[in-house]
């Protein structure tokens, strides 16, 4: 839209942006009036960037945001140029990407969300802006070469959405608090409802003949006065939501509610002012109060579920802390404090923003940015939560509190999503939309019948009002979130941490299950490892220990446990640092600064690296071969011991699913395992050995092309590609610090034997949702049938509407708890 020159406004009008009265000397632009230059600038900015439809999506309480653009002083945001402050405010920063989370208190409607998620049109440096409406939070990704946090904050002030910037930027680990205005609305509705009922008692006691004379009129007009705050203040959210939905072409649940409230009020107004009757203002006040009470209950319950997911030990990470004595100990993530020194190994996540204490480190920020290129950091550099260490172990000192909710958000980031979509939740939401439209049609038809065919206008008003109020698709939309939300929490307590409810739906649809062997079905306990080979010097053992410490592979962890008893801290320190590379599925290579080299891995890979493998130890078991300075030393051999309960688990799964084993083991190692488990897997044809990571991907593709919904279980490190390629990828972990965003769920190794119960529970969860929807539909069919016949009063309908939602919530939550799988016994 091209903007002409501005001119003065002759008469007082409302500002086209903020809705306030314009002064006599206000400003005009394109026929629109503005109260100040700030509002005009915002309006013109939106128009020039084709964002003027913002005003069409706005609520109808006078303006989109009902507030003027803030006046900005050029020096107001100088503090956002301070590098030390930016380090505390930004979640992540590189040369090409910066991420910040800003609290925007002014977010309150659909137009707010729409505008804030289109910031890239106002500032080309903004790459993505995403609103979390419940938290009133803006997730901002921008290119620091083209914009800055200061520029974005200034832009937000100009468009009247100033962020609330606080240095203690971590989200509070407390359940969300209900806004004060919602309590006020509920309080006003309750107060007016109580007093209207009080003034209506004489009418109730008078019976069928009613209360005549001046007292009847006095109480009726008092009730009318008390109903106005209920209509204009307490019921305002219903009207705003309904009108916003209609303007956007959406008939939402608030449309019939708003119509019911308006019908009750207008009918009562006519009764009192024209007919001298008492009206139905007690029903209207009761309706609004009960609806607000029901929504408060829903909100509180939903917030509690969201809080449990974000903060209540949901994210199963552990960290290694370096004590003041120089020893390391493991703690759960929620015990990590600012100032702690943590030791991170190859493949592990940085749990909180920290300073690098080691000389150097390579970090993969694909968990944060979606780009897998490693970034190299030097001593004292700032590193960000969510980065994954690649290469040698490193020491860090935390400078920010850990945020489990931030890590959970990262896990659910869209950059890790592919085509894994489950449509059940979306289906219920779409059905709710059409359901609401159908309710409006049924109510209109009932009104026309009673008014025109039966000639009873009073019954027509009752039928329309009761039909609009009693029908409630809320329960349809609530069934899936509350069932799956409860299920996610219960599964987490039993050792299975599922990313989101969509993953739970896909688990329920699983038809084929693929297992990795080492570290998944087999255990890597130190007692099961034996070293066979040449006798090592203390230095060689120390270098081997230093190398193995860099990996989270089950065999590497076993080697560390064995050698730690033989190598003291001084010997380990004496070998110095090394550059360590880990090749997935192959092994580890450590080049020490002292000139020595250590190789740990598969025999064939050691040979490829130039090691002299004469004297190679033949083994039919899983083994990690060792070479020092090109000389073959021997191997750590692991007996193929299955985890407890694996045979019984496989027998249960084989009856309901196609199950397969994919392993990288050599043909020599294959024979023992075939004899051990071919029966449990349903035959040798279900066991595939000598499979590379690429072979595993191709096998999963083959299964899915055949129509299978695949579940892959692996260690999360060597199998990261396969976990991502499968429909559902589950990382089986013994060390909770070894987490991969490629997985859709994390399963503690101790709980693996409970997999059949977990899958059964996921299917039962879908059954609970379907029963909840059936319960809701039954309620609506019965309620509408009675309402259109005039057998339900508006007041009874107002009681039944929130009661239906409460019933579904209680049914789904209790059912999910009662059917939960038992705790896995150790």
């Amino acid at each position: 839209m091209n903007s002409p020159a501005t001119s003065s406004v002759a008469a007082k009008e409302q500002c086209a942006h903020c809705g306030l009265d314009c002064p006599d000397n206000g400003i005009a632009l394109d026929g629109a009036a503005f109260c100040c230059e700030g509002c005009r600038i915002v309006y013109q900015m939106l128009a020039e960037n084709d964002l003027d439809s913002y005003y069409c999506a706005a609520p109808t309480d006078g303006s989109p945001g009902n507030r003027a653009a803030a006046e900005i002083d050029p020096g107001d945001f100088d503090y956002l140029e301070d590098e030390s402050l930016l380090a505390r405010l930004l979640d992540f920063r590189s040369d090409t990407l910066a991420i910040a989370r800003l609290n925007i208190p002014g977010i309150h409607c659909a137009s707010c969300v729409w505008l804030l998620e289109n910031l890239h049109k106002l500032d080309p440096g903004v790459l993505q802006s995403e609103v979390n409406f419940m938290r009133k939070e803006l997730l901002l990704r921008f290119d620091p070469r083209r914009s800055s946090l200061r520029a974005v904050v200034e832009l937000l002030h100009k468009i009247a959405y100033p962020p609330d910037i606080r240095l203690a930027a971590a989200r509070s680990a407390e359940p969300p608090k209900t806004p004060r205005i919602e309590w006020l609305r509920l309080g006003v509705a309750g107060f007016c409802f109580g007093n209207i009922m009080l003034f209506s008692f004489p009418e109730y006691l008078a019976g069928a003949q009613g209360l005549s004379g001046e007292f009847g009129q006095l109480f009726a007009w008092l009730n009318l006065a008390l109903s106005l705050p209920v209509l204009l203040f307490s019921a305002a959210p219903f009207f705003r939501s309904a009108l916003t939905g209609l303007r956007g072409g959406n008939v939402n649940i608030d449309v019939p509610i708003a119509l019911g409230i308006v019908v009750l009020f207008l009918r009562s107004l006519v009764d009192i002012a024209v007919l001298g009757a008492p009206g139905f203002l007690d029903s209207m006040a009761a309706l609004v109060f009960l609806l607000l009470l029901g929504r408060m209950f829903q909100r509180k319950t939903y917030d509690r579920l969201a809080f449990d997911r974000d903060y209540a030990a949901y994210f199963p990470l552990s960290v290694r802390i370096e004590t003041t004595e120089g020893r390391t100990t493991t703690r759960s993530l929620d015990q990590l404090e600012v100032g702690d020194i943590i030791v991170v190994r190859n493949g592990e996540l940085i749990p909180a923003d920290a300073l690098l204490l080691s000389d150097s480190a390579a970090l993969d920020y694909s968990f944060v940015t979606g780009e897998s290129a490693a970034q190299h950091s030097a001593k004292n550099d700032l590193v960000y939560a969510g980065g994954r260490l690649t290469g040698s172990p490193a020491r860090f000192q935390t400078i920010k509190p850990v945020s489990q909710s931030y890590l959970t958000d990262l896990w659910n980031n869209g950059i890790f999503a592919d085509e894994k979509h489950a449509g059940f939740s979306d289906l219920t939401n779409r059905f709710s939309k059409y359901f609401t439209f159908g309710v409006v049609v049924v109510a209109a038809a009932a009104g026309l019948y009673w008014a025109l065919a039966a000639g009873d206008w009073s019954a027509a008003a009752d039928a329309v009002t009761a039909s609009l109020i009693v029908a409630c698709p809320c329960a349809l939309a609530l069934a899936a979130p509350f069932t799956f939300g409860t299920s996610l929490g219960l599964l987490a307590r039993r050792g299975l941490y599922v990313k989101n409810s969509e993953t739970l739906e896909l688990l329920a649809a699983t038809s084929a299950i693929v297992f990795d062997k080492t570290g998944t079905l087999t255990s890597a306990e130190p007692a099961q490892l034996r070293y066979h080979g040449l006798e090592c010097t203390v230095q060689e053992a120390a270098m081997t220990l230093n190398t193995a410490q860099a990996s989270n592979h089950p065999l590497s962890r076993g080697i560390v446990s064995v050698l730690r008893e033989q190598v003291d801290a001084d010997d380990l320190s004496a070998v110095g640092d090394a550059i360590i590379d880990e090749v997935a599925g192959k092994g580890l290579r450590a080049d020490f600064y002292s000139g020595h080299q250590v190789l740990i891995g598969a025999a064939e890979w050691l040979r490829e690296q130039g090691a002299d493998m004469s004297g190679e130890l033949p083994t039919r078991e899983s083994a990690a071969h060792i070479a020092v300075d090109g000389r073959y030393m021997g191997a750590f051999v692991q007996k193929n011991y299955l985890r407890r309960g694996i045979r019984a688990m496989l027998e249960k799964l084989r009856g309901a699913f196609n199950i397969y084993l994919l392993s990288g083991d050599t043909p020599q190692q294959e024979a023992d395992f075939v004899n051990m488990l071919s029966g449990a897997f349903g035959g040798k044809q279900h066991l595939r050995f000598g499979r590379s990571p690429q072979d595993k991907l191709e096998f999963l593709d083959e299964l899915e092309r055949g129509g299978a919904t695949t579940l892959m279980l692996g260690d999360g490190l060597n199998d990261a590609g396969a976990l991502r390629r499968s429909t559902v990828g589950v990382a089986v972990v013994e060390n909770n610090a070894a987490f991969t965003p490629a997985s859709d769920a994390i399963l503690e190794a101790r709980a693996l034997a409970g997999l059949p119960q977990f899958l059964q529970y996921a299917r039962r969860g879908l059954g609970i949702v379907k029963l909840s929807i059936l319960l809701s539909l039954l309620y609506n069919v019965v309620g509408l049938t009675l309402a259109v016949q005039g057998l339900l009063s508006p007041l009874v309908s107002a009681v039944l509407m929130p009661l239906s939602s409460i019933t579904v919530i209680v049914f789904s939550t209790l059912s999910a708890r009662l059917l939960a799988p038992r705790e896995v016994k150790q």
Side-chain angles (χ1 to χ4, degrees), residues 594-618:
S594 60
H596 295 287
Q597 182 191 78
V598 173
L599 298 172
I600 305 176
E604 185 62 32
W605 183 73
L606 265 64
R607 190 174 291 108
E608 292 173 3
Q609 296 298 306
D612 179 5
M613 298 299 290
S614 56
E616 174 188 340
L617 178 72

Side-chain angles (χ1 to χ4, degrees), residues 424-425 427-429 431-432 435 472-481 483-484 765-781 808-809 811-812:
F424 195 81
S425 298
L427 180 63
T428 58
N429 292 333
F431 182 78
S432 297
F435 176 88
C472 180
C474 292
L476 296 174
L478 289 172
T483 301
F484 290 138
L766 280 183
I768 294 171
V769 174
K770 292 174 181 177
L771 285 175
S772 299
I773 290 176
L774 183 63
L775 184 66
S776 175
L777 288 174
L778 181 63
Y779 155 82
N780 281 286
V781 168
V808 166
I809 290 172
F811 171 77
S812 60

Side-chain angles (χ1 to χ4, degrees), residues 149-163:
L149 183 61
R150 174 177 181 163
V152 176
V153 169
E154 287 180 346
L155 172 62
L156 290 169
H157 273 263
K158 287 178 182 177
I159 62 175
Y161 289 96

Side-chain angles (χ1 to χ4, degrees), residues 592-805:
F592 286 83
Y593 293 128
S594 60
H596 295 287
Q597 182 191 78
V598 173
L599 298 172
I600 305 176
E604 185 62 32
W605 183 73
L606 265 64
R607 190 174 291 108
E608 292 173 3
Q609 296 298 306
D612 179 5
M613 298 299 290
S614 56
E616 174 188 340
L617 178 72
T619 176
R620 295 171 61 180
E621 298 159 340
S622 298
H625 297 266
I626 312 293
V628 178
D629 293 332
R631 178 192 178 202
Y632 181 74
M633 303 297 297
F636 282 90
V637 179
Q638 178 192 7
K639 288 283 186 181
N640 284 320
Y641 289 112
L642 293 174
R643 297 186 189 278
R644 182 180 299 177
I646 291 299
R647 289 179 184 276
M649 176 199 75
L650 293 173
E651 292 289 348
K652 291 178 182 177
L653 291 175
R654 187 161 58 88
F657 306 93
N658 293 318
I659 58 175
Y660 304 89
L661 173 73
L662 299 183
S663 174
D665 285 354
T666 63
Q668 291 83 5
Q669 300 164 335
E670 177 181 342
D672 285 347
F673 210 78
V674 167
N675 294 333
M676 191 185 303
L677 278 183
S678 60
F681 273 90
K684 184 178 178 180
Q685 69 276 13
H686 286 244
L687 306 178
R688 314 292 174 95
F689 291 89
R691 301 288 168 158
S692 68
Q694 182 59 38
D695 292 335
K696 294 179 181 180
L697 298 182
E698 292 174 358
F699 181 76
L700 288 166
D701 283 341
E702 180 183 340
L703 288 178
E704 295 197 357
R705 282 195 298 270
T709 300
T710 57
L711 169 62
M712 173 73 194
L713 295 97
D715 62 18
L717 299 171
N718 299 310
D719 301 312
L723 294 180
R724 184 162 184 171
R725 182 65 61 86
S726 59
T727 309
V728 178
V730 178
V732 180
V733 297
E734 292 193 61
N735 170 18
N736 284 343
F739 166 73
T740 171
S743 64
D744 299 298
I746 304 169
L747 177 60
E748 293 181 8
R750 65 172 181 83
L752 179 60
L755 182 62
Q757 289 75 35
F758 296 147
L759 293 174
Q760 183 183 48
Y761 183 55
R763 292 183 172 181
R764 286 176 174 176
L766 280 183
I768 294 171
V769 174
K770 292 174 181 177
L771 285 175
S772 299
I773 290 176
L774 183 63
L775 184 66
S776 175
L777 288 174
L778 181 63
Y779 155 82
N780 281 286
V781 168
V782 173
L784 275 174
T785 301
L786 295 175
V788 297
Q789 296 180 67
L791 301 176
L792 277 185
S793 70
L795 179 58
V796 173
S797 299
V799 173
L800 291 177
M801 182 185 179
L803 187 61
S804 70
S805 296

